[in-house]
Amino acid sequence: MKKIQIAVDGPASSGKSTVAKIVAQDLGLIYLDTGAMYRAAAAVALRNKTGLADDIISVITDNPISFKNTKKGQLVFLGDEDVTSLIRTNEVTNNVSWVAAISEIREFLVAEQQRIAAEGNIIMDGRDIGTVVLPEADLKIFLVASVDERAERRFKENQLKGIPTDLETLKFEIAERDRKDSTREVSPLKQAQDAILLDSTGMSINDVVQFIETKAKEL
Ligand code: DC
């Protein structure tokens, strides 16, 4: 039987991972957070003080990136090390764009993502899922929201986690990440021609989930 593939792409903090996780749970799909893989690669680059693709890939080959679903949510591992919190630090967030722009790193991680997709029905979120990773996906969503709304959502999330943040700085960082992700040479953030554009500004998480699930049930 043909496997179901759903691609959710869009800019930073547009709610992709939040909604993709819920849809995965509701519809019994594997959820793959591809941003976490680029973040893990950035953490390796920072820790080893290297920008060389070969060095980064060699560490990840020896210590593969994996995911574990637990009651606390999905945990991200690098080899045996739980890097779930490390990959969300500001230092990693502010360095992930340049690591994600290295073509060898992308080739390596895309191959890994395609291998995981071959294992079953999947929903993946990222920047290039509908264009590069799963060009034949059955459903492609390009999820956007205004910079102000995305910054406010991230601000509230950080407040709940007790992470001190400045809203204006967040707006700047989000706009900057959008710029870097959409202007890089390799696999820039771009809506696939056959993707559905969904602007979630003013929509609740539940509204977005319902929209995607309705489309998925039509497949
Ligand atoms: O979704 P996120 O914020 O966790 O993604 C982290 C970074 O990784 C983001 O700045 C862009 C990059 N990324 C990418 O280039 N391609 C993907 N498929 C997923 C993320």
Side-chain angles (χ1 to χ4, degrees):
M1 210 177 89
K2 189 184 176 305
K3 294 191 176 72
I4 291 179
Q5 296 184 330
I6 303 179
V8 184
D9 289 301
S13 304
S14 59
K16 304 179 299 291
S17 62
T18 307
V19 297
K21 271 180 213 159
I22 301 172
V23 173
Q25 180 124 47
D26 289 352
L27 304 185
L29 311 172
I30 299 170
Y31 163 63
L32 184 65
D33 175 356
T34 63
M37 299 173 84
Y38 289 96
R39 286 172 178 272
V44 167
L46 290 169
R47 182 182 284 171
N48 294 277
K49 298 192 174 32
T50 180
L52 295 178
D54 283 353
D55 292 348
I56 299 168
I57 290 170
S58 150
V59 173
I60 301 177
T61 305
D62 293 343
N63 305 277
I65 301 167
S66 62
F67 297 87
K68 267 192 201 136
N69 291 320
T70 71
K71 282 190 194 128
K72 284 191 286 175
Q74 195 172 65
L75 304 181
V76 186
F77 284 81
L78 189 61
D80 292 334
E81 183 189 354
D82 180 349
V83 292
T84 314
S85 305
L86 173 69
I87 63 168
R88 304 286 160 197
T89 56
N90 277 339
E91 202 193 0
V92 169
T93 301
N94 292 330
N95 280 279
V96 63
S97 288
W98 68 260
V99 176
I102 304 172
S103 58
E104 292 92 333
I105 302 271
R106 298 202 71 83
E107 273 166 38
F108 177 78
L109 292 181
V110 166
E112 197 56 18
Q113 291 155 13
Q114 290 171 333
R115 188 189 59 70
I116 296 169
E119 287 173 5
N121 297 325
I122 195 158
I123 180 163
M124 244 189 231
D125 80 288
R127 303 294 189 286
D128 59 342
I129 310 304
T131 50
V132 176
V133 183
L134 303 176
E136 305 298 328
D138 308 276
L139 175 60
K140 299 180 184 178
I141 305 289
F142 196 75
L143 191 62
V144 300
S146 69
V147 171
D148 281 4
E149 177 143 337
R150 286 184 281 144
E152 271 155 35
R153 288 178 191 168
R154 198 36 66 95
F155 183 73
K156 283 186 193 143
E157 267 173 35
N158 286 357
Q159 272 187 323
L160 286 176
K161 289 183 197 154
I163 304 171
T165 331
D166 173 62
L167 184 61
E168 289 310 310
T169 308
L170 267 185
K171 284 184 193 171
F172 173 79
E173 286 173 357
I174 287 177
E176 194 50 17
R177 213 134 66 87
D178 283 359
R179 188 185 63 74
K180 287 183 188 154
D181 291 343
S182 356
T183 56
R184 69 171 177 232
E185 270 176 40
V186 210
S187 310
L189 168 67
K190 202 175 81 192
Q191 183 180 342
Q193 267 184 349
D194 51 350
I196 301 169
L197 176 67
L198 182 58
D199 185 345
S200 71
T201 310
M203 281 174 85
S204 69
I205 292 170
N206 192 40
D207 291 341
V208 178
V209 168
Q210 288 307 319
F211 180 90
I212 299 177
E213 291 186 357
T214 303
K215 292 282 171 200
K217 284 173 189 157
E218 286 166 6
L219 293 174

